[in-house]
Amino acid sequence: YDHIAMTFQQFAHLSWSKLGLQHDAISGKIEVNLPEAKVAIDVAVFLAGQIESQLDESDRRQIQAVVRDLRMNYVQKTSETSI
């Protein structure tokens, strides 16, 4: 499950960068790409669901907080672009 947890972290980081909230790891730029952010968030959510039962309570809460924050920021970004 360690590899899946690392992959979760990679997709969470990718999600933050596609939301325009972190620098892109490749280009170093801040760019918003909401369709790609949604896919990255969906993959992170799936991976979190696969490993949650194997985590202790502290790690489970941390993963759940990351998922919650990603979702909330996605909703905020999508509402900003629809204005």
Side-chain angles (χ1 to χ4, degrees):
Y1 292 99
D2 290 341
H3 287 91
I4 297 170
M6 288 185 341
T7 304
F8 167 81
Q9 291 297 336
Q10 290 174 326
F11 273 94
H13 183 272
L14 179 62
S15 300
W16 292 120
S17 94
K18 295 302 179 181
L19 287 169
L21 300 173
Q22 287 184 353
H23 290 91
D24 182 89
I26 297 171
S27 71
K29 298 177 183 177
I30 298 283
E31 299 175 316
V32 177
N33 186 325
L34 294 179
E36 288 185 19
K38 180 171 182 352
V39 171
I41 292 167
D42 289 347
V43 171
V45 168
F46 173 78
L47 293 171
Q50 298 303 302
I51 61 172
E52 275 186 336
S53 65
Q54 303 300 316
L55 302 174
D56 63 31
E57 187 60 31
S58 174
D59 289 340
R60 188 176 307 118
R61 274 188 257 124
Q62 186 178 15
I63 293 273
Q64 290 169 344
V66 169
V67 166
R68 181 193 64 235
D69 291 346
L70 286 170
R71 286 176 165 166
M72 288 174 48
N73 279 278
Y74 177 79
V75 168
Q76 181 180 8
K77 288 290 186 177
T78 57
S79 66
E80 289 172 3
T81 60
S82 64
I83 295 175

